[in-house]
Amino acid sequence: MHILEVNGLKKTYAPRFGGHSVEALKNVNFSVDRGEYVAIMGESGSGKTTLLNILAALDKPTAGRVTLDGMDLSRVGESAAAAFRRDNLGFVFQEFNLLDTFTIEDNILLPLVLSNRRTAEMQSRLDPIAARLGLSDLLKKYPYEVSGGQKQRAAVARAMITDPKLILADEPTGALDSRSTGELLRLFAEVNGLGQTILMVTHSIRAASTAKRVLFIKDGEVFHQIYRGDDTDERLYQKISDTLTLLMLTAGGEKR
Amino acid sequence: MKILFYPRLALSGIQKNRQLYLPYFLTCSGMVMMFYLLCFLSYSKGVSGMALSAFIASILRLGSIVIAVFSCAFLFYTNAFLLRRRKKEFGLYSILGMNRRNLGRILFWESAFLSLSSLAAGLLGGIAFSKLAELGLLNILKGEIDYTLRISPQSVLLTLKVFGVIFLLIFFNALRQLWFSSAIALFSSEQAGEKPPKANWALGLLGVAILGCGYYIAIAYGDNAITAIEIFFTAVLLVMAGTWLTMIFGSVLLCRLLQKNRAYYYRPAHFVSVASMAWRMKRNGAGLASICILSTMVLVMISSTACLYFGTEDALQERYPGEINLEVHLNEDATADLLSNSNTAAFLQKVRSLADDMGTEPKNLFLCREVSMAGTLTDGHIAADLPRYRELLDSSLTLLSFIPLSDYNALTGSSETLKEDEILLGAKRMDYQGDTLSFFDRTTCRIKRRIDDFYSSRERSMSILPGMTIVVPDIAPLLQNYGSLAEFTGNRAVSLQWTCHFDTDLDANGQASLSTKLLDAFLSSPSRERFGIDSVLCETRIQNRNDFFTMHGGLFYLGIMLSLVFLTAAVLMIYYKQICEGYEDSGRFAIMQKVGMTRREIKRSVNSQLLTVFFLPLAFSALHLCFSFPIINTMLHVFNLSNTALLGRITAVCFALFALFYLLIYRITSNTYYRIVSGLQET
């Protein structure tokens, strides 16, 4: 059962002052099943961020279709897209994107407040998530008072609080130290174990090796994919590493 | 090349931060220009040829001192703001290997460029506008105008000295700040984690209390003209302190209270706004309070001086009811028969014949007899046992003027009648609501009618103390009853005077020579004895008119100039505040969008915050203005102006114009804000 379907996705940026237009995405096709944990890998400039922006309905594709749970994202307007993001998607970003004016608690509750939920419901959703992410003691603190790992956990809590159909993570470990990275990745695996669908964009092999499937993007196209199968994290790490080496060799070969 | 390295770096730094430096440059030039203009005018030939020129020169000089002090404080503030924005850049230089000495050199060249160019621009502007300013001043003062452009070297020199010192001080302050911060501190100064605003109950409530105290003082003690100025300054200080505390701590406190109320706070319409308002107010409270105080200063200054100027004619009419005004004081042993009708008729006959010698006939000739004394009023009883000099300023001291009914009727053209124990009562600068009034000798009179709009001559010349004008059927008995009362000086407490005023069809010179003739005639020994005259005062309205216009016009002009300076400062503060908030908000803007707010929602929320923050100072200054109205009205009494309606109208017009201007500034600066927010979003 597909929760997300991407067909023939194409995105071209026309430069403002003439010149050649840039093709960020050429032809991207893939699908994600309910409960899957997919990592998308690629070098910088390969179109990862563009893809994520389109999936988040922050940007519109030049051609192609994105269907989330049967809804065509390319057809919704700006305000509907915002409401859609709020109710169906959860975001985790590299630079956390917590609002410094809010306490951790208020940051987590933000999506619920925006969809006008009752206060009692907010509380009943907040408590278990905060407990699971180890944030219960930090709720009244401000982002500037907590560590990077704690900030990122707060961001994950914010992403999860609406029970989204899909969590989109953009380089979630990019700004974390090694220990916090380990914690976050374990957390993702655990959440995924509970049935949460996750799509993560990353260029960290370590992050990607915790996923169930890894897609490789190069020059705006899905180039290759690896299924975990029964592999351990270490085995998957090795496979991804090999693929990337191959990728680099072919890139080198093309240049020559 | 190496020599020019630092100047170049400095120039490019200024150029890249145009958005910050252009307004700063304009403000510096503006302050320099205003300072030069006021200096120039105080030495101006056009002014020195006028009556009361020393007074005008001194208030202009006072104005220039105010500008110098204010510029110093204000430019310090703005420069600190600029430096905060530049610290990151300096941090980068220092990480790239520049030491403090190198940074100091860049700073030196920057300051040098800015100071010299704004001095040059300000002086050029000052010289260019000096004629216009002079014409404006002379027009207001109704002086004589000539059209040659002059440069005043002493003013140029003074301006260079004063602002040279100010700019030097600012440079040293900037250098000091740079010197004592490390490269890393500089580099990350902008992102330094800021502590969330804390609700400070004590300071927040203290602010509201102080503000209320200031208001209370202004209202409760604002009706005594003698102490009004003192009270006014006390109230101003309290209100200023109160405004600061309320804006900074009171507003955060309010936001925190709102946040405590979960049912209110966790709603889409309030959530983001309330939380970011608390931060905004913490950072901008001081700025907002300053804007509010500046706005109030401008409004109070311009409305009171405008009222003074436009009410000059009123004040003149009030002070001098006729073209020629005689005030005759009778000597100590004047008896009741000197107040008789036949005696006054003889006096008037004399006035007529003197006017006839000048070939004119007095028109609207009136004579009013007046018995005046001072007393203290308590519970409807007037006591004559006057307090000693020390307690003379006690507000219960009341000036009493008794006027015979016949003179009152003649002056006002009415045909009032009074029984033996009835009086008409006019009360000024006091609040008396009783139906009766009892006197020293325990006679009690019924007040038949109130005539609060009527001015006796005593009222006109001594218009700051509370006063009662009492119209009695006849004043002869008064003299018999009170004639023996003595003041503590030993002089008779009661004084008798006639005031006589009339119009002529003579020109100013004719009026002057007629008034000399009148003085000579009545001060001659035969007349003195005949009428029992002690002294005579003769004033023409036209002579005093110039003085009035010079004084009021001078104050009005100063009011305009200082208002312009303060207004410029307020505008600049608003502009910088918007830039500051623009940079801060752009990051939040992007996050909120990612989390699922539509652009419309974000814009609406930010807009409502901006509006609140922006119009808070205006609303506060309107409130301040309302509470200061009575005391300003009282202070204007000192200038013979008691036209509350005029002050009300002018204040309303000033406020409306100011609000319109404020709105315009909002439109312009909020555009800058949106440019910053959307510009940063793209990158």
Side-chain angles (χ1 to χ4, degrees):
Chain A
M1 170 65 207
H2 299 325
I3 192 161
L4 176 73
E5 260 181 283
V6 178
N7 291 315
L9 204 59
K10 186 176 168 180
K11 178 74 188 176
T12 317
Y13 289 107
R16 237 183 288 179
F17 308 106
H20 297 292
S21 57
V22 179
E23 224 170 27
L25 298 175
K26 262 183 211 152
N27 181 17
V28 177
N29 300 288
F30 69 92
S31 57
V32 177
D33 286 347
R34 200 178 289 279
E36 246 195 320
Y37 179 9
V38 179
I40 296 179
M41 290 200 75
E43 292 171 57
S44 37
S46 59
K48 284 177 303 184
T49 307
T50 308
L51 175 64
L52 206 69
N53 281 343
I54 292 174
L55 295 184
L58 284 167
D59 206 348
K60 292 224 174 274
T62 315
R65 257 165 70 115
V66 177
T67 319
L68 186 88
D69 207 20
M71 185 171 170
D72 188 352
L73 282 193
S74 38
R75 295 245 176 104
V76 294
E78 209 260 333
S79 71
F84 172 83
R85 264 201 299 284
R86 224 156 45 202
D87 298 337
N88 300 302
L89 297 176
F91 290 92
V92 182
F93 305 92
Q94 175 175 353
E95 59 288 355
F96 322 131
N97 278 348
L98 297 178
L99 287 166
D100 53 3
T101 53
F102 283 134
T103 56
I104 297 293
E105 176 181 15
D106 291 351
N107 263 300
I108 298 174
L109 290 178
L110 182 60
L112 291 185
V113 176
L114 291 178
S115 25
N116 214 355
R117 304 291 174 85
R118 285 181 310 117
T119 342
E121 184 190 342
M122 291 181 195
Q123 205 56 48
S124 65
R125 280 186 182 225
L126 175 70
D127 290 339
I129 289 182
R132 189 173 342 135
L133 299 189
L135 291 169
S136 301
D137 297 334
L138 303 175
L139 288 179
K140 295 295 173 201
K141 299 212 181 230
Y142 281 84
Y144 92 102
E145 296 171 297
V146 303
S147 72
Q150 288 165 334
K151 277 187 215 173
Q152 193 60 299
R153 274 187 277 148
V156 174
R158 180 178 65 187
M160 286 171 56
I161 196 132
T162 51
D163 255 330
K165 296 193 173 107
L166 177 65
I167 287 184
L168 291 174
D170 185 5
E171 298 282 10
T173 59
L176 298 181
D177 59 36
S178 169
R179 219 192 88 205
S180 303
T181 300
E183 270 177 25
L184 184 75
L185 292 175
R186 257 198 308 286
L187 190 66
F188 270 8
E190 188 190 317
V191 171
N192 175 245
L194 295 172
Q196 175 69 57
T197 320
I198 300 174
L199 182 73
M200 171 168 67
V201 167
T202 183
H203 63 243
S204 150
I205 304 177
R206 182 173 168 207
S209 65
T210 57
K212 284 185 181 163
R213 175 158 65 112
V214 184
L215 294 173
F216 296 87
I217 289 194
K218 187 168 176 273
D219 300 331
E221 280 178 287
V222 177
F223 162 88
H224 184 63
Q225 61 176 327
I226 303 175
Y227 282 92
R228 171 191 286 268
D230 294 326
D231 289 343
T232 58
D233 284 1
E234 289 72 23
R235 179 82 194 101
L236 191 59
Y237 187 100
Q238 198 52 51
K239 278 189 182 169
I240 296 170
S241 186
D242 292 347
T243 312
L244 287 177
T245 318
L246 196 69
L247 215 73
M248 271 188 9
L249 282 178
T250 54
E254 269 169 24
K255 250 183 217 160
R256 215 173 285 156
Chain B
M1 174 65 207
K2 189 156 190 291
I3 299 167
L4 283 180
F5 176 66
Y6 290 105
R8 276 183 188 205
L9 208 56
L11 261 186
S12 80
I14 294 174
Q15 226 156 39
K16 279 189 201 115
N17 292 288
R18 263 195 312 272
Q19 208 173 28
L20 296 174
Y21 279 102
L22 190 66
Y24 178 70
F25 164 75
L26 288 177
T27 310
C28 288
S29 319
M31 301 271 171
V32 170
M33 185 174 99
M34 284 296 185
F35 185 83
Y36 172 79
L37 282 180
L38 287 187
C39 280
F40 169 81
L41 289 176
S42 71
Y43 295 118
S44 151
K45 278 230 173 78
V47 172
S48 61
M50 297 183 59
L52 287 183
S53 62
F55 171 76
I56 294 297
S58 71
I59 64 166
L60 288 172
R61 246 167 248 144
L62 179 76
S64 64
I65 293 173
V66 171
I67 291 182
V69 171
F70 178 74
S71 305
C72 189
F74 182 69
L75 293 181
F76 253 86
Y77 164 86
T78 6
N79 195 267
F81 170 82
L82 291 182
L83 206 65
R84 210 162 42 239
R85 292 256 144 227
R86 297 291 308 281
K87 268 187 180 165
K88 189 170 183 180
E89 196 181 321
F90 283 125
L92 184 64
Y93 288 148
S94 116
I95 282 169
L96 291 177
M98 282 196 184
N99 60 25
R100 286 171 181 166
R101 196 170 293 275
N102 302 133
L103 290 181
R105 284 175 81 168
I106 300 180
L107 204 61
F108 168 77
W109 283 109
E110 267 192 27
S111 312
F113 283 135
L114 279 173
S115 316
L116 290 180
S117 59
S118 52
L119 270 177
L123 282 176
L124 279 178
I127 289 165
F129 282 113
S130 61
K131 197 70 226 178
L132 196 67
E134 193 181 36
L135 290 179
L137 178 63
L138 292 179
N139 184 40
I140 283 181
L141 301 185
K142 311 217 182 295
E144 276 168 38
I145 289 168
D146 77 298
Y147 289 94
T148 44
L149 180 66
R150 285 184 210 86
I151 296 172
S152 146
Q154 68 225 74
S155 304
V156 172
L157 210 64
L158 189 64
T159 311
L160 285 177
K161 271 189 210 156
V162 168
F163 278 86
V165 168
I166 292 179
F167 288 140
L168 212 61
L169 283 176
I170 290 175
F171 167 66
F172 282 130
N173 182 47
L175 201 60
R176 183 184 61 85
Q177 286 195 25
L178 214 56
W179 208 262
F180 290 114
S181 38
S182 69
I184 292 300
L186 283 178
F187 192 63
S188 51
S189 60
E190 251 177 76
Q191 297 109 324
E194 208 187 333
K195 291 200 169 67
K198 284 243 157 53
N200 192 328
W201 279 91
L203 286 177
L205 292 180
L206 188 69
V208 177
I210 290 179
L211 195 62
C213 210
Y215 283 165
Y216 174 76
I217 287 179
I219 293 292
Y221 300 100
D223 53 359
N224 185 335
I226 295 178
T227 51
I229 292 186
E230 204 178 307
I231 292 290
F232 181 72
F233 281 106
T234 315
V236 164
L237 288 181
L238 285 175
V239 167
M240 274 165 100
T243 310
W244 273 67
L245 290 175
T246 309
M247 287 255 186
I248 301 171
F249 299 103
S251 51
V252 173
L253 189 64
L254 182 69
C255 287
R256 283 288 177 254
L257 284 178
L258 289 178
Q259 278 179 318
K260 284 240 169 72
N261 181 355
R262 294 181 80 91
Y264 173 88
Y265 178 48
Y266 288 106
R267 294 266 71 87
H270 307 144
F271 193 57
V272 177
S273 312
V274 172
S276 20
M277 272 304 265
W279 285 71
R280 233 181 256 281
M281 290 312 295
K282 187 204 167 201
R283 304 210 61 179
N284 297 320
L288 287 179
S290 309
I291 293 172
C292 170
I293 288 167
L294 284 176
S295 309
T296 315
M297 269 159 94
V298 167
L299 283 169
V300 165
M301 229 162 25
I302 204 75
S303 58
S304 56
T305 53
C307 180
L308 206 55
Y309 182 68
F310 292 113
T312 306
E313 212 58 72
D314 281 4
L316 209 57
Q317 288 287 347
E318 187 187 314
R319 181 69 185 79
Y320 304 105
E323 281 180 359
I324 292 181
N325 305 270
L326 275 167
E327 203 177 299
V328 180
H329 294 270
L330 301 188
N331 56 34
E332 286 254 313
D333 34 64
T335 49
D337 54 299
L338 283 175
L339 295 171
S340 70
N341 285 340
S342 60
N343 207 26
T344 56
F347 181 85
L348 287 181
Q349 189 48 50
K350 182 102 181 157
V351 172
R352 274 204 193 86
S353 74
L354 284 167
D356 200 42
D357 292 346
M358 297 282 301
T360 182
E361 197 193 338
K363 282 178 278 292
N364 308 319
L365 177 62
F366 289 109
L367 185 135
C368 181
R369 285 160 283 191
E370 217 169 308
V371 170
S372 50
M373 62 191 302
T376 51
L377 174 74
T378 29
D379 301 328
H381 177 73
I382 294 172
D385 43 339
L386 277 186
R388 290 273 154 186
Y389 183 69
R390 270 185 175 286
E391 298 116 54
L392 215 60
L393 295 184
D394 190 303
S395 60
S396 69
L397 184 73
T398 309
L399 296 175
L400 305 167
S401 293
F402 296 93
I403 291 174
L405 179 65
S406 54
D407 290 356
Y408 173 77
N409 279 340
L411 270 172
T412 55
S414 54
S415 52
E416 194 73 51
T417 55
L418 288 176
K419 288 195 200 108
E420 191 61 34
D421 59 345
E422 282 181 336
I423 55 168
L424 303 177
L425 176 70
K428 297 279 157 21
R429 292 172 290 281
M430 61 184 301
D431 189 36
Y432 183 72
Q433 298 299 344
D435 295 328
T436 60
L437 204 58
S438 69
F439 293 96
F440 334 102
D441 53 358
R442 296 283 153 196
T443 51
T444 302
C445 295
R446 197 176 70 80
I447 298 166
K448 188 182 180 197
R449 198 162 65 83
R450 291 293 288 257
I451 47 164
D452 290 351
D453 294 333
F454 178 76
Y455 285 86
S456 69
S457 84
R458 180 74 176 259
E459 276 295 317
R460 287 194 289 272
S461 54
M462 298 274 284
S463 55
I464 55 173
L465 284 174
M468 279 187 161
T469 304
I470 301 161
V471 176
V472 292
D474 188 9
I475 52 169
L478 284 170
L479 213 55
Q480 278 151 19
N481 294 346
Y482 310 144
S484 56
L485 289 172
E487 275 181 61
F488 62 91
T489 51
N491 295 335
R492 189 159 76 164
V494 178
S495 71
L496 279 75
Q497 60 178 346
W498 302 342
T499 51
C500 170
H501 58 84
F502 59 92
D503 297 338
T504 61
D505 36 40
L506 297 170
D507 60 1
N509 290 333
Q511 289 179 24
S513 59
L514 176 57
S515 69
T516 319
K517 284 217 172 86
L518 285 166
L519 274 179
D520 288 345
F522 288 116
L523 286 175
S524 67
S525 310
S527 296
R528 274 174 180 268
E529 266 170 43
R530 164 76 180 81
F531 297 108
I533 293 173
D534 180 49
S535 64
V536 181
L537 187 69
C538 186
E539 291 173 299
T540 63
R541 189 194 292 153
I542 197 137
Q543 276 172 331
N544 286 286
R545 186 189 164 83
N546 287 338
D547 287 359
F548 266 59
F549 270 102
T550 311
M551 202 158 86
H552 295 182
L555 288 171
F556 182 40
Y557 190 77
L558 192 68
I560 294 175
M561 294 297 251
L562 289 184
S563 295
L564 280 178
V565 169
F566 292 148
L567 209 58
T568 319
V571 169
L572 194 74
M573 278 182 135
I574 291 168
Y575 177 79
Y576 280 146
K577 197 179 65 57
Q578 296 280 61
I579 289 187
C580 222
E581 296 197 350
Y583 283 119
E584 262 172 40
D585 286 349
S586 54
R588 289 182 202 139
F589 213 85
I591 298 175
M592 286 191 264
Q593 209 178 345
K594 281 177 185 163
V595 175
M597 278 176 93
T598 61
R599 266 164 188 276
R600 272 245 315 282
E601 280 171 339
I602 299 169
K603 249 197 160 156
R604 205 185 303 145
S605 151
V606 170
N607 236 337
S608 79
Q609 290 171 50
L610 278 187
L611 277 174
T612 317
V613 166
F614 203 82
F615 287 102
L616 203 64
L618 191 65
F620 258 82
S621 27
L623 197 65
H624 291 349
L625 203 61
C626 287
F627 277 99
S628 68
F629 188 84
I631 197 164
I632 289 172
N633 196 20
T634 309
M635 285 197 294
L636 288 177
H637 288 328
V638 179
F639 295 90
N640 269 82
L641 199 77
S642 19
N643 195 339
T644 310
L646 180 72
L647 180 63
R649 270 204 309 278
I650 286 183
T651 308
V653 168
C654 286
F655 186 77
L657 286 178
F658 184 80
L660 213 66
F661 177 77
Y662 204 81
L663 203 68
L664 192 73
I665 296 300
Y666 172 71
R667 290 300 295 265
I668 294 169
T669 57
S670 65
N671 275 345
T672 317
Y673 170 87
Y674 283 119
R675 249 204 321 275
I676 292 172
V677 170
S678 57
L680 285 193
Q681 224 186 328
E682 276 170 23
T683 55

